[in-house]
Amino acid sequence: MQQQTKRLEEFKKSVTNKFNIYNSLFLSLPYKNVENVGILIPLLLDQCEKGLKEGKEPQEILEVFFSNFVDIQDERERLDFMFRIVQYVERQVVLYDSVEDSAFPKLQEYSSSLTIKDYFELVNRTKNWDKVSKKLSTFSARIVLTAHPTQFYTPAVLDIIAELRSLIDEDRIHDIDVTLQQLGLTSLINAKKPTPLDEAKNIIYILRNTYYDAVGELYQYVKSNIRDDKFENYDLMKLGFWPGGDRDGNPFVTADITKQVADELRLTLMKCYYNELKDLRKKLTFKGMQGELNELSGKLYQAMFDPNALISYEGIIEHLNAVRGNLIEHYHGLYLDELDQFIDKVHIFKTHFATLDIRQDHSKHALVVETVLKKQGIIKESVSELKDKELVKLLVQEDFKLNPKDFDDEIVKDTISNIQNLKAIQNKNGEDGCNRYIISNSESIFSVLFVFGLFRWCGWDEKEITFDIVPLFETMKGMDASEEVMQTLFDIPQYRQHLERRRDIHTIMLGFSDGTKDGGYLKANWSILKTKETLSKVCKKNGVSAIFFDGRGGPPARGGGKTHKFYAAQTKDVANHEIQLTIQGQTITSTYGTKEQFIHNSEQLLTAGLSNNLFGKEHTISAAQRKLIEELSELSFDKYDALKQHEKFIPYLENRSTLKYYTKANIGSRPGKRGNKKQLTLSDLRAISFVGSWSQLKQNVPGYFGLGSAIQQMKEEGRLNEVKKLYKEVPFFKALMLNSMMSLAKSNFDLTSYMKEDPEFGDFWNILHNEFQLSKKMLLQISGLKILMEDEAVSRESVKIREKIVLPLLVIQQNALYHITQNSEYKELYEKIVTRSLYGNINASRNSA
């Protein structure tokens, strides 16, 4: 508790106070007519807070503000002023992010989370070095960076944020003032929708400027502290990459784009190598060294500009080993440490930097296979004409020779081209550069076999398919079918032989996002844990090592929240060879954005994964506890399912939320829903737009809906103590409930309380509000906490400040949504305001979508 108090004091000193001081510099931002905006924002915030508490409508609050404080009566002028507020708030969020990131190392001094250093000290006390050394020499964490459309700071803005961070570290107030002015004049948003290549370049920028050094430093720290001279687990921290490879629902990702992104990753890595070698050359100035160094430097220089000038991983290592031998033999190993650190990085990143994953939806492969079989005259219209056995035989035995030019459909042509191109990508970037093919919406064996068959038909020799085919079970139906799907696949000799060639390892992906959308918060998370246990068992029985890859978003409703708590709470029945997860949207910059944050959060992943295997901390959930979680999950699902079936569910999202504006914002290259049906359906809706829209409304429904009712039911049956005991004794359940409390803490129903009188949506709003209040009450009861996030004072304080910064922006957004429904003559401008206000709010929430 004392630690928490100290941490809070440090937070107030290093974050709250500094932000307030630097925030005042905004008063001199170089905007036209902006000088009074900074002075008026606190007044507007005050009006918003008071007005919402009194149940006033957003338009009423703004009416009072414009009449009494700024005296603007003209609607067009009011709109201009609101745009200026939005601009101002966006930049306040950037400043707050920079201040908080700068304070990160100081706050960590008072953290109770387990670092690698703490972990090693623990090992020292238990004298468990052999065990740890053995585990760490094979254990691995892979974070996979995705291009989901909530990461939208341009490299120019990321540079400003980095500059601000370092200036804030040194309290250089004059330079901060100048940098804030630069920020004031720099556009924070994309003028046009980014292409998948733009998205990839934006994230490669972070690889180059943060992760290249961060991964290297983390590796060195483990290596130098592990008491094992032979330690060389270069896979300890792996990077995966989805932009440019993830074509699920994104028609703009083509075979050509995938090739370009693979090149961009390699060329950028060569720049990192070249620059590090340049620094080394300044130190290794000894006779007889320059020839080898210059030769390598020349090759890297060419390879960083010319996509066809290749240098192999083995080639780079050969040069560096020659330099190393010379250094030891003739120059007393001077600067050997620096050279070894560089050699380690080359072993880690090879020539690929990050592994580019390919992902596509099962329905697209079904279309390709069907088109091919029609062309071959095997079927007339549909694969359903074939028995399953016949279809399996065609996929694992038949040899077709496919040429993309023989087909008219773009998806068919591009899928064939892409699978044929993958060989060339591996030749350039190495096999680690691209060796996984992920299939969304996997629900049967054919999700995997269609891809296996397509590789064979696209010219890959069956014995040389150097790809893992990864089913993504994301719906309830997919998870229910997964055990049978995997066992049936293992029983197919050709597929089993393929697995033997892949070292008897099978990666299986489980998706939180669509699971939560489909099954509600508790049921989705519980189903994922049960599915992992079941699949661990079925893989083990077949002599296969299971690796689980979690599709985790930023917010708790999409599997995000406190990631390390989630992994530390896995049961002993879950295969634990490696932790793999997606990080996306603004989580890339907020959780892994600086070197310190990256190292800290990666350590958290490693210690969470390792503590499951050592120190006897293996978690089990007893049969009685399982039965109780099962009951709670079914009760909460019934409540959530009834909400989903409510006739106003989709209309509410379409007409009262920002849902349709996600696609209008130039945030990401991907459309907001799969397919192009006129009528919006929940299954076509992307989880990001779904969860994000609830977040913009400050209702966060997918993060808790149904929990209150489920616990209340238990209470009525006189079983509340059972649930309290569950919270206390089962880390998995506790981690879920704490994440849910974060969703509740970020909700603000006052913002939309005017809707309770709405003739069309009033009743629906009341259903949401009642469940919010009930969930909050019940979660506080079972946890014994007095307020939400009571044990996380710093996070709570941070949420409070962020919510305050964006409150005026949210009131403006709600007001604009209202005017759009009234068909105002300025409808287009109000729509623009809604779209623009998405940005600041997403950034402020840091894990909102």
Side-chain angles (χ1 to χ4, degrees):
M1 206 60 204
Q2 196 189 359
Q3 195 82 330
Q4 174 150 304
T5 311
K6 280 186 179 168
R7 199 159 183 250
L8 192 57
E9 278 168 20
E10 183 60 55
F11 181 85
K12 285 181 172 158
K13 196 168 77 187
S14 299
V15 180
T16 315
N17 295 348
K18 277 193 181 184
F19 173 66
N20 290 335
I21 291 164
Y22 298 140
N23 196 25
S24 62
L25 296 175
F26 271 104
L27 298 178
S28 56
L29 272 187
Y31 280 139
K32 193 172 67 151
N33 311 325
V34 83
E35 53 282 354
N36 57 350
V37 171
I39 298 160
L40 290 166
I41 277 189
L43 288 171
L44 177 57
L45 173 65
D46 186 53
Q47 287 303 302
C48 291
E49 287 182 326
K50 280 184 189 153
L52 291 175
K53 272 203 176 65
E54 290 162 16
K56 285 183 180 164
E57 299 187 351
Q59 52 274 30
E60 206 182 328
I61 294 168
L62 289 170
E63 183 57 54
V64 170
F65 175 73
F66 280 121
S67 301
N68 298 352
F69 294 98
V70 283
D71 193 25
I72 301 176
Q73 297 308 323
D74 180 68
E75 191 176 1
R76 184 72 183 76
E77 279 181 41
R78 285 183 176 188
L79 275 157
D80 282 346
F81 191 85
M82 286 189 272
F83 268 115
R84 291 205 292 278
I85 289 173
V86 171
Q87 281 184 318
Y88 193 96
V89 169
E90 282 173 344
R91 284 158 179 78
Q92 279 185 304
V93 172
V94 171
L95 173 64
Y96 185 76
D97 281 351
S98 306
V99 172
E100 205 170 61
D101 289 348
S102 160
F104 184 81
K106 286 189 195 129
L107 290 170
Q108 282 323 109
E109 290 169 25
Y110 305 103
S111 169
S112 56
S113 49
L114 202 62
T115 62
I116 290 275
K117 186 179 171 206
D118 302 327
Y119 190 76
F120 284 156
E121 279 172 11
L122 203 60
V123 174
N124 223 359
R125 289 205 295 275
T126 54
K127 302 289 179 264
N128 241 344
W129 280 107
D130 291 351
K131 210 171 170 186
V132 165
S133 192
K134 194 176 167 202
K135 187 68 193 165
L136 265 176
S137 62
T138 57
F139 194 74
S140 178
R142 181 195 298 238
I143 59 170
V144 179
L145 307 156
T146 76
H148 292 328
T150 48
Q151 171 52 45
F152 44 73
Y153 280 145
T154 59
V157 176
L158 290 173
D159 276 338
I160 292 174
I161 293 173
E163 177 68 8
L164 271 174
R165 265 198 309 264
S166 58
L167 295 173
I168 289 164
D169 279 344
E170 297 165 30
D171 290 324
R172 285 162 55 186
I173 201 143
H174 170 71
D175 296 325
I176 291 168
D177 187 21
V178 173
T179 311
L180 286 176
Q181 290 186 45
Q182 179 193 352
L183 176 68
L185 293 167
T186 304
S187 172
L188 263 67
I189 58 167
N190 301 310
K192 56 183 199 305
K193 234 177 177 24
T195 65
L197 187 58
D198 296 330
E199 283 175 334
K201 284 180 175 176
N202 279 359
I203 295 178
I204 289 171
Y205 168 94
I206 299 166
L207 287 181
R208 181 181 178 180
N209 290 288
T210 304
Y211 296 175
Y212 176 74
D213 284 333
V215 173
E217 269 185 42
L218 178 62
Y219 182 80
Q220 289 310 322
Y221 185 80
V222 173
K223 183 182 171 182
S224 53
N225 283 282
I226 198 167
R227 302 191 182 185
D228 176 2
D229 298 338
K230 296 185 187 68
F231 180 78
E232 46 180 48
N233 176 9
Y234 299 116
D235 286 337
L236 184 71
M237 202 69 221
K238 294 191 278 199
L239 297 174
F241 202 80
W242 274 16
D246 178 11
R247 58 235 321 117
D248 174 15
N250 192 342
F252 307 111
V253 177
T254 59
D256 199 41
I257 288 280
T258 302
K259 217 162 57 179
Q260 286 177 50
V261 170
D263 282 343
E264 192 68 35
L265 280 163
R266 189 183 67 259
L267 267 58
T268 305
L269 178 62
M270 295 305 137
K271 286 172 190 160
C272 293
Y273 287 166
Y274 178 81
N275 287 328
E276 188 155 357
L277 186 65
K278 199 166 135 186
D279 289 340
L280 262 174
R281 282 167 67 202
K282 288 176 188 165
K283 292 172 178 169
L284 304 179
T285 48
F286 322 126
K287 193 178 170 193
M289 298 288 262
Q290 294 307 309
E292 199 78 54
L293 288 168
N294 288 345
E295 193 182 336
L296 176 56
S297 182
K299 286 177 182 173
L300 289 172
Y301 186 78
Q302 264 189 303
M304 70 193 210
F305 292 116
D306 180 357
N308 297 311
L310 300 175
I311 174 168
S312 69
Y313 152 61
E314 294 77 14
I316 301 171
I317 290 295
E318 202 177 308
H319 281 295
L320 292 174
N321 280 341
V323 170
R324 191 176 191 276
N326 199 347
L327 198 60
I328 292 168
E329 199 176 332
H330 301 112
Y331 300 104
H332 322 293
L334 192 62
Y335 295 124
L336 184 63
D337 277 356
E338 285 92 329
L339 178 64
D340 279 348
Q341 284 170 22
F342 181 36
I343 290 172
D344 281 341
K345 277 192 198 163
V346 176
H347 282 310
I348 292 166
F349 298 118
K350 300 189 171 77
T351 49
H352 64 280
F353 214 166
T355 302
L356 182 62
D357 286 344
I358 307 300
R359 181 170 83 129
Q360 180 56 291
D361 191 76
H362 168 62
S363 61
K364 298 292 183 278
H365 301 133
L367 169 75
V368 180
V369 168
E370 202 158 66
T371 309
V372 169
L373 294 179
K374 263 198 276 193
K375 196 166 187 65
Q376 297 291 333
I378 291 167
I379 56 172
K380 286 193 173 67
E381 286 304 321
S382 158
V383 285
S384 59
E385 295 161 33
L386 298 166
K387 289 194 174 73
D388 281 3
K389 267 189 177 160
E390 295 170 317
L391 186 52
V392 169
K393 197 174 172 190
L394 286 166
L395 293 163
V396 301
Q397 289 182 15
E398 190 59 64
D399 279 322
F400 299 128
K401 296 279 176 278
L402 300 186
N403 182 340
K405 289 178 183 148
D406 295 342
F407 300 91
D408 301 322
D409 188 300
E410 281 308 314
I411 285 281
V412 177
K413 284 162 91 153
D414 196 73
T415 304
I416 296 166
S417 297
N418 187 50
I419 293 174
Q420 290 174 342
N421 279 350
L422 295 176
K423 180 75 83 185
I425 290 175
Q426 284 193 345
N427 289 341
K428 283 180 161 189
N429 288 26
E431 193 186 308
D432 286 343
C434 185
N435 58 14
R436 314 201 305 176
Y437 200 119
I438 298 151
I439 306 109
S440 313
N441 276 313
S442 291
E443 291 178 353
S444 75
I445 55 165
F446 293 110
S447 54
V448 169
L449 291 183
F450 283 171
V451 173
F452 183 70
L454 284 170
F455 265 86
R456 296 178 63 259
W457 299 348
C458 288
W460 284 73
D461 180 322
E462 192 172 309
K463 293 184 180 62
E464 287 167 19
I465 298 177
T466 44
F467 262 78
D468 297 327
I469 301 170
V470 181
L472 164 49
F473 300 112
E474 52 195 323
T475 59
M476 291 296 126
K477 187 181 169 191
M479 283 190 265
D480 289 344
S482 61
E483 180 181 11
E484 193 188 334
V485 167
M486 296 313 298
Q487 185 56 62
T488 312
L489 286 170
F490 294 149
D491 290 340
I492 296 168
Q494 291 86 344
Y495 190 72
R496 192 65 191 80
Q497 283 152 17
H498 165 69
L499 281 182
E500 279 166 25
R501 291 188 286 271
R502 303 301 294 156
R503 306 194 321 279
D504 281 322
I505 293 171
H506 206 304
T507 303
I508 300 166
M509 188 172 179
L510 296 155
F512 288 78
S513 305
D514 282 286
T516 309
K517 193 183 80 180
D518 194 26
Y521 179 73
L522 182 57
K523 181 162 182 168
N525 281 284
W526 177 233
S527 298
I528 284 164
L529 182 71
K530 286 191 302 181
T531 305
K532 280 185 176 179
E533 291 176 338
T534 306
L535 293 176
S536 299
K537 220 174 282 171
V538 80
C539 287
K540 199 173 177 183
K541 191 175 86 186
N542 287 276
V544 172
S545 296
I547 288 180
F548 294 112
F549 175 21
D550 292 310
R552 295 170 65 79
R558 295 187 53 230
K562 302 283 183 191
T563 302
H564 59 281
K565 279 186 183 162
F566 164 80
Y567 282 111
Q570 300 286 288
T571 64
K572 70 177 180 56
D573 296 322
V574 172
N576 186 32
H577 313 287
E578 185 168 326
I579 281 177
Q580 296 191 4
L581 72 160
T582 57
I583 63 165
Q584 59 204 49
Q586 70 286 33
T587 314
I588 292 174
T589 42
S590 65
T591 311
Y592 297 86
T594 65
K595 193 160 69 172
E596 294 80 10
Q597 286 170 324
F598 180 93
I599 290 173
H600 171 75
N601 285 300
S602 298
E603 283 185 11
Q604 294 292 287
L605 282 182
L606 291 169
T607 56
L610 291 165
S611 60
N612 263 325
N613 291 59
L614 301 155
F615 314 124
K617 268 194 182 179
E618 293 186 330
H619 297 304
T620 53
I621 304 177
S622 70
Q625 289 166 335
R626 281 173 183 273
K627 190 169 171 291
L628 184 55
I629 297 175
E630 196 70 52
E631 282 181 72
L632 285 164
S633 112
E634 286 309 319
L635 286 168
S636 65
F637 172 69
D638 290 345
K639 181 75 180 172
Y640 175 71
D641 197 44
L643 184 76
K644 268 191 347 184
Q645 307 305 328
H646 195 290
E647 57 175 3
K648 293 298 175 198
F649 187 78
I650 291 286
Y652 180 80
L653 275 175
E654 280 198 292
N655 300 300
R656 287 289 182 271
S657 84
T658 55
L659 181 66
K660 51 184 136 179
Y661 299 96
Y662 264 82
T663 31
K664 292 185 181 180
N666 293 325
I667 293 174
S669 66
R670 191 164 72 169
K673 63 187 179 84
R674 290 183 173 99
N676 48 13
K677 287 184 225 149
K678 270 266 187 290
Q679 188 61 40
L680 180 67
T681 62
L682 190 59
S683 56
D684 285 339
L685 190 57
R686 302 229 64 110
I688 283 191
S689 333
F690 176 68
V691 173
S693 299
W694 289 115
S695 158
Q696 295 276 331
L697 279 166
K698 289 293 158 199
Q699 293 174 351
N700 293 332
V701 163
Y704 58 81
F705 198 90
L707 280 181
S709 292
I711 299 167
Q712 170 78 5
Q713 173 83 23
M714 290 289 162
K715 188 179 180 179
E716 284 168 10
E717 291 173 18
R719 300 172 64 195
L720 190 65
N721 281 338
E722 287 180 44
V723 187
K724 284 182 177 176
K725 209 161 171 273
L726 193 65
Y727 178 86
K728 216 165 154 180
E729 293 176 1
V730 178
F732 168 77
F733 185 71
K734 183 177 181 175
L736 280 187
M737 296 305 108
L738 287 171
N739 272 342
S740 201
M741 286 191 236
M742 190 198 291
S743 289
L744 290 161
K746 288 184 175 183
S747 300
N748 179 359
F749 272 81
D750 286 348
L751 182 69
T752 52
S753 65
Y754 67 92
M755 287 190 199
K756 63 174 171 253
E757 308 302 336
D758 188 296
E760 188 183 351
F761 294 109
D763 290 347
F764 185 79
W765 185 89
N766 279 314
I767 293 172
L768 303 178
H769 186 227
N770 292 340
E771 187 63 23
F772 162 77
Q773 287 182 305
L774 186 61
S775 297
K776 184 176 166 181
K777 183 180 152 191
M778 289 290 113
L779 284 171
L780 289 176
Q781 274 190 27
I782 63 162
S783 63
L785 301 173
K786 289 177 190 66
I787 54 170
L788 294 170
M789 296 176 77
E790 187 181 334
D791 292 342
E792 298 173 63
V794 166
S795 295
R796 193 176 71 240
E797 203 59 30
S798 173
V799 167
K800 211 157 80 186
I801 297 171
R802 288 173 179 280
E803 297 298 320
K804 250 189 153 117
I805 294 171
V806 291
L807 190 62
L809 186 137
L810 289 166
V811 169
I812 285 170
Q813 184 187 80
Q814 282 297 316
N815 171 65
L817 285 166
Y818 167 78
H819 281 286
I820 291 163
T821 62
Q822 301 306 301
N823 281 322
S824 154
E825 62 171 307
Y826 297 114
K827 187 178 175 186
E828 222 171 283
L829 283 173
Y830 280 116
E831 289 190 323
K832 249 189 181 160
I833 277 203
V834 174
T835 308
R836 272 304 296 275
S837 59
L838 291 174
Y839 295 87
N841 186 32
I842 288 172
N843 280 332
S845 297
R846 281 213 149 177
N847 66 2
S848 66

